[in-house]
Amino acid sequence: MCCAGRHADGVVIVAAAAARGDAAAYSAIGQDLRSGAVTIDSAAEQLAALPPDRLLAQWRSGRRRMAASLRELTPVAKLPWFGPPMSATSIATARIMETWAHGQDIVDDLGMSRPATDRLRHVAHLAVRARKYAFTLNGLASPADEFRVELQGPSGELWVWGPADAVDGVSGPAEGFCLLATQRHHRVDLAVSADGPNADKWLDIVQAFAGPPGQGRQSRGAKPVESIS
């Protein structure tokens, strides 16, 4: 998680500089990615070769510098990104999403669990806002009408998006929706429901991240996990 995240934090810093008018460095990153000279995996592997203490120090330093670079911009300032340009606020939200999602990879690999918090609202909001993007990305016409999304937050609060009279809707626990939208768990393993054919299709392709749709996860099946205290 911290290897890929350390690379992404560095890209955000360069993208923020591009939003302030210094586009050369970000242009070079884009060329390296398009040519295949650098990939997310290769960047992560390079960082993973560092001694753990040095990697952790760089990760923490990079996170602080990334936050500072975003604070220098207005919330609606547009930054170049791997998909469409994103606002400074959306970039910060995306980094929360990515850090949580990759953290889930570690939790799952260890066969453990972790408590969900209401900060997942950031992840859910990103997925809801990206609904039309998900349809377009999969070569599908995006439904014109808004969906109703009702998610139960970890604290018990109901999070709602869209009109109450929407034909299509999605409901369920927020954590499950976020696990689905980050492609960390398979849909059949989650208690997230769709009401209406368009909503049903959305749950098959929903994603909270930029870039091409991934392969997703195979069904895990029911199995006990150890809780992190």
Side-chain angles (χ1 to χ4, degrees):
M1 172 187 69
C2 51
C3 298
R6 170 70 182 88
H7 172 71
D9 290 347
V11 176
V12 171
I13 293 169
V14 176
R20 295 192 298 271
D22 182 10
Y26 190 85
S27 177
I29 290 176
Q31 290 175 2
D32 285 343
L33 289 170
R34 287 190 295 272
S35 69
V38 176
T39 66
I40 297 297
D41 288 342
S42 67
E45 289 171 0
Q46 184 178 15
L47 289 165
L50 296 174
D53 57 342
R54 183 179 170 190
L55 175 60
L56 180 59
Q58 286 195 15
W59 186 73
R60 288 173 171 169
S61 173
R63 181 55 53 90
R64 289 192 294 269
R65 291 193 298 116
M66 178 191 69
S69 70
L70 291 175
R71 290 191 186 100
E72 293 176 0
L73 301 170
T74 64
V76 296
K78 293 295 185 180
L79 285 72
W81 202 240
F82 301 109
M86 297 176 67
S87 69
T89 299
S90 293
I91 285 282
T93 305
R95 291 301 298 124
I96 291 172
M97 177 272 296
E98 290 161 354
T99 301
W100 177 80
H102 289 298
Q104 186 66 40
D105 293 335
I106 295 173
V107 169
D108 288 343
D109 283 347
L110 294 175
M112 305 179 79
S113 66
R114 60 177 173 175
T117 74
D118 279 356
R119 285 175 291 185
L120 284 176
R121 185 163 189 160
H122 296 289
V123 182
H125 180 73
L126 199 61
V128 172
R129 289 289 302 273
R131 176 177 60 82
K132 293 182 179 179
Y133 174 70
F135 275 90
T136 301
L137 204 59
N138 285 272
L140 301 171
S142 176
D145 294 334
E146 292 298 316
F147 291 8
R148 177 75 167 185
V149 180
E150 299 183 353
L151 303 176
Q152 197 76 32
S155 67
E157 181 182 359
L158 184 65
W159 304 340
V160 176
W161 294 264
D165 61 350
V167 174
D168 286 273
V170 166
S171 61
E175 183 180 24
F177 179 76
C178 292
L179 288 168
L180 182 62
T182 55
Q183 295 189 1
R184 260 51 201 179
H185 287 189
H186 193 281
R187 180 180 174 182
V188 301
D189 298 325
L190 302 167
V192 182
S193 301
D195 183 14
N198 290 327
D200 186 67
K201 184 59 184 177
W202 182 40
L203 290 188
D204 285 336
I205 61 174
V206 60
Q207 66 179 69
F209 51 89
Q215 296 299 314
R217 296 290 195 272
Q218 295 297 316
S219 175
R220 290 158 50 88
K223 65 177 183 179
V225 296
E226 177 186 352
S227 294
I228 298 176
S229 58

